[in-house]
Amino acid sequence: MDILQRFDYKSSGYHRPNQAWVCGWAAEGKPCQIGPDDRGNCRATFECQPSKTDDRWQCNRSDLVGGKCPDGPLPDGTCCRSIQRCWPVRSWRARVRVTRNWVLAVSVGILLLAGASPLAPVLLNPGDVTFQHSEVADCGGCHTAFEKGAAAWPMAAFAHSAKVTDSQTCIACHDLGENSLNPHGLQTATLNLSTKKAMPQRTVSEPLVLTAATWARDLPLHDNNKLACATCHQEHNGKAFQLTAMSNKRCVACHKEKFTRLAQGHPEFAGFPFDRRTRINFDHGSHLEKHFRDANVKAQAPKECSSCHIAGQVGSLMVVKEFKSICAACHEGQIEGVGRATSKGVEIFAVPGFDVQVLMENNISIGSWPEDAEGEITPFMDLLLAGNDDYTAARANLSELDLLDLTDVSSTQLADVEQLAWGIKELYFELSTMGVAFLSSRLAVAFGHDLNTTELAQLTNLLPADAVKAAMDLWFPTLHDDVIQFRAGKSVPMPSSEVTNAIVSTVATVAKSTDDKIGDDKIGDDEIGDDEIGDDEIGDDEIGDDEIGDDEIGDDEIGDDDGAEDGEEGEKTQIANLASEDWPSAGGWYREDFSLRYRPAGHADVFFRSWLDIAAQAEAMPAKEPATEIFEALVSTKSPGACSKCHSVDEVGEGIQHVNWQGKRPISNQHAFTAFSHVGHFTLLDERGCLTCHSLNSEVDFSDGFKDRDPTTFVSNFNPVERATCAACHTPAEAGDNCVTCHNYHIGTFPPAQTSTPKMMEQAKN
Amino acid sequence: MTLATRRRRNTIIAAALAIGLFGAHQAYDAALYDAAFLSGWILFISMLLLASLNLRKKLTMLPIGSSATWLQFHIYLGWIAIVLFGLHINWRLPNGFIEVTLAILFVAVAGTGILGIFVSRTLPKRLTRRGEEVILERVPDFLSKIRDEAEQVVIRSAAEANSYTIRDLYSEHLHSYFMKPQNYFQHLIASNHGLFTLLNEIDSIDRYLNARERELISELRLLVVKKDDLDFHYALQTTLKAWLLVHIPATFALLTLAALHLVVVHAFSGGIG
């Protein structure tokens, strides 16, 4: 056998590879000539179909299978050789086609299962979600299109109407503020302003891919500059995937200045971390270079930065410790008034001085009025009388007048003085009869809103009834009768000097224990130049050695006591001679001549703080002017308490002030642009400690920044942190220089993700 | 243009396109888009174009370029599609039932495609270098003839040589050999190990044969070699057809599931892409 394959017509049959079925005997090498039909059924019958020639049947079997057979057809014309039936098999092409169809059917089956069966979530799930989201019920918890059914997915896929709809499901738990979907959570105008402000004056060759990105497409911002949450946070990447991870090049996609390295391209830290003056006016330079080196205070002075500063919440800020632990040793005395030349207490209530003689000559009916009073109306009194229009008008008319000299005044002005006097007397009448309730109502009118109990207690600081009564008895012995008559419409003439003096002398002994010669004591204008701690001429009595603790003043019958009849005269003399403001050395109310004053109870006095806080909002109050006057008086550097010596005041709005009682404190849930943790860096510092990053700037005049109330005009004791300092460690190979290492994207104050319990009541019941 | 020149040109164009796609992918990602959408769409369109070769072969009447040109386009676009796929899955194993299925199907299609290029360029040359070129569908017929001849030799050996040595050899080693095509994978890797083993068996009984048997055994030996040549052609030609048995069905499944994948990812995109 030399050649297997021959192509002559007798040897080579015709193959039809396009046919789907092939004779089953082909595998044996002996396929029949008939072949299966197109359905794969064997059509095998006989090897030939005999033909009849001259009444004789002839075999016409094909030469390919041997030609005419020797036996010939049967007499009836049937072929004598039947073909054994086979099981047809598919051709190569048919096999490919069938396989394809089966695979296609399985695919369509998967498609239908994925779209319309309970297995859809399993089949469609492209991967595990992070463990934080693993409890989301099903796909519809995040993908709003899922709930609409498979028929709606093609529309949802290509409709542009609801590009940020899915983001709303994120915000349902992760509420990032009003502008959650805006870049950085800020309004566009704010971002534009920041861009304009920060636009650097330099050129940086940006990476090619970023240039291409800018050229290729606009940013994927939707309606009103919103970015979908999924732009940056891609789920279905496994349980441990970091959803907040972000590459540097994606961070700078929106930024005009594009760079990918901290050491190359990142702007210098201009002024970082200082963007305003310190809230507490503390000059590090003078303290470190002068005060802490003073021999008198050296022992108490802090030895290092951590003596005063401690890491706050999450370590982002080095907050200042409490006053009592770091400042009180040197500054407590100043607040309490130790060594203070002027009055240690602020004047709250007073009896203004009038030209009583002129009033009497002109028959002005204001009842009794102490002739010796020489003070002025306090702003507190103006505030309380702000709701009295007649008083207010009279006050305004008399603003330029010296009430102690009414010689050349007009009758109109005298009428105003009368109005003024009755306003004051009614004020004291109601104060002494109604007490704090009266103050509450008047303050509500002045402030424009009611006060709660706590506010009232802080603003009155437990004004004792007896102090008020004693003052009224001394100042206006006939106050009660005068006011009643006045309100009855009767004229209340001023009594004669003799009558007045007799009344006054009756209660004069009450004032003996406060042998103060303050005749014109005013807030910030006190002239008690002789009364000084250490130069006290009252025996051996000194503050701190006070023997008043043994005194039985509570049982003292001041009205009967003339100070000379008691057998313990030496002790009473000491008490009687004790300056009234020294008695409440720990702070509180005290009466001094024709005024009721309040002395601060050390640092963080509630009364002072409450009045400063509320008066800072003066602009928004009905009693704006007196409130402003109160605020300015208390915040003056000459004010008792000396609050503003350390606590700066910021103007935060149109006339609205804010007193900074504390240094910067971390705000819970606040997310700033820069996230820095001091704590994480402590172990990396060398012997220079904090000065590694915060170098002192000795050249500046720190006080310059506190000459106005604009917190942004400032100079810092410290030089700004330099980028090179951070870049020394934050390289890709070491600490990393990914943008999100130091920066937050979502800015604002918002709580962590939280869920809601809308069916709490039903569940509780069940 | 020579084949080498054409190949060089096409390779450079394909490489440039692949690099360009890679760069576009990176730029798209840097622009805050999910680059998988870009690569996915380009990949899907590429797969449609690749699958259209099958259609082109059926629409021979249309003046849309020769099949050879289409095949070249198909091959180079296939290489680019592999790069696109890698970019699309970010060069890591996907999760999810649909995604894993798609990945498996793509690997099957691409893998068989690469295999197809290889076999279609190497096997025909090998076929022309050995034995008689035969039509694959006729191999069983030829096999049958060779088997009949071999059996005749065995019968003659028993009748003429008065010995059953050849008969025993046939029944033990050669009967199964002549029944069906053998040594499929050895022929693919151009190994003659099976043939030599068998020939060694035949040669090892030479000392036990008489003169007549030696004549008959030499005929049998020739038939064994002939049959091996037939097996060789059967193996290679079957391979040339069989890879399409995976490549084409997998392509249809891939396109179907890719369409589902496309709708789902857009519907659940969350506003990106």
Side-chain angles (χ1 to χ4, degrees), chain A residues 51-305:
Chain A
S51 61
K52 196 169 184 182
T53 308
D54 298 331
D55 294 331
R56 201 173 167 82
W57 292 98
Q58 303 288 332
C59 173
N60 49 1
R61 190 173 70 170
S62 169
D63 290 336
L64 289 169
V65 290
K68 292 182 188 298
C69 68
D71 298 324
L74 296 174
D76 61 354
T78 310
C79 176
C80 65
R81 292 173 184 260
S82 64
I83 301 174
Q84 189 172 358
R85 297 177 72 82
C86 71
W87 290 103
V89 298
R90 292 184 190 273
S91 66
W92 269 109
R93 279 195 194 181
R95 288 180 201 174
V96 172
R97 193 163 55 240
V98 166
T99 307
R100 181 200 67 197
N101 292 343
W102 272 108
V103 170
L104 203 57
V106 170
S107 303
V108 172
I110 293 173
L111 196 151
L112 291 172
L113 282 174
S117 81
L119 290 176
V122 174
L123 293 174
L124 293 176
N125 188 359
D128 288 338
V129 296
T130 53
F131 68 90
Q132 295 94 331
H133 292 142
S134 58
E135 289 301 311
V136 175
D138 59 14
C139 307
C142 297
H143 300 286
T144 53
F146 183 79
E147 301 293 341
K148 297 176 187 171
W153 294 348
M155 179 60 79
F158 302 108
H160 292 275
S161 58
K163 283 295 182 183
V164 292
T165 307
D166 283 0
S167 297
Q168 299 301 329
T169 59
C170 305
I171 293 169
C173 292
H174 299 275
D175 186 3
L176 304 174
E178 194 181 322
N179 305 302
S180 296
L181 297 181
N182 285 29
H184 289 302
L186 300 174
Q187 293 185 348
T188 308
T190 310
L191 284 173
N192 289 339
L193 202 63
S194 297
T195 302
K196 203 171 164 183
K197 190 170 137 189
M199 204 59 189
Q201 302 300 321
R202 58 187 170 88
T203 55
V204 175
S205 58
E206 58 187 47
L208 181 62
V209 66
L210 298 178
T211 307
T214 310
W215 177 79
R217 279 198 78 166
D218 294 331
L219 293 169
L221 296 170
H222 304 294
D223 308 322
N224 294 328
N225 283 343
K226 295 191 189 315
L227 268 175
C229 301
T231 304
C232 303
H233 304 294
Q234 295 279 313
E235 261 290 10
H236 294 290
N237 283 301
K239 287 187 171 64
F241 183 69
Q242 294 289 326
L243 274 175
T244 55
M246 187 77 164
S247 67
N248 285 357
K249 66 176 189 291
R250 280 171 71 89
C251 276
V252 297
C254 300
H255 288 255
K256 295 270 185 208
E257 193 72 28
K258 297 187 190 299
F259 52 88
T260 56
R261 287 281 172 260
L262 173 61
Q264 297 165 6
H266 191 287
E268 290 297 330
F269 297 173
F272 180 78
F274 313 117
D275 58 359
R276 56 156 289 153
R277 66 185 180 193
T278 55
R279 291 162 177 79
I280 304 298
N281 184 350
F282 178 83
D283 188 344
H284 283 83
S286 64
H287 278 78
L288 292 175
E289 292 171 4
K290 188 171 86 176
H291 301 307
F292 290 165
R293 297 175 194 268
D294 188 318
N296 293 329
V297 299
K298 200 172 179 181
Q300 297 155 314
K303 303 296 180 287
E304 54 182 337
C305 303

Side-chain angles (χ1 to χ4, degrees), chain A residues 606-625:
Chain A
V606 170
F607 182 84
F608 269 68
R609 181 169 173 165
S610 302
W611 273 103
L612 277 167
D613 282 340
I614 205 161
Q617 317 296 319
E619 192 66 26
M621 293 177 185
K624 182 171 79 172
E625 287 174 11

Side-chain angles (χ1 to χ4, degrees), chain A residues 1-5 12-13 15 26 28-30 103-104 123 125-126 143 163 217-218 222 234 237 250 253, chain B residues 27-30 32-33 92 95-96 98 132-133 135 138 140-142 144 149 226 252-253 256 268 270-272:
Chain A
M1 178 183 291
D2 294 322
I3 298 174
L4 290 171
Q5 184 160 269
S12 176
H15 290 274
E28 298 295 325
K30 300 178 176 59
V103 170
L104 203 57
L123 293 174
N125 188 359
H143 300 286
K163 283 295 182 183
R217 279 198 78 166
D218 294 331
H222 304 294
Q234 295 279 313
N237 283 301
R250 280 171 71 89
Chain B
Y28 209 69
D29 180 66
L32 291 182
Y33 289 90
R92 57 185 177 88
N95 297 319
I98 299 289
E132 183 183 346
E133 293 181 45
I135 296 172
R138 295 181 180 177
D141 185 23
F142 303 144
S144 166
E149 262 197 65
K226 189 84 176 172
F252 279 86
T256 306
F268 293 1
I272 59 173

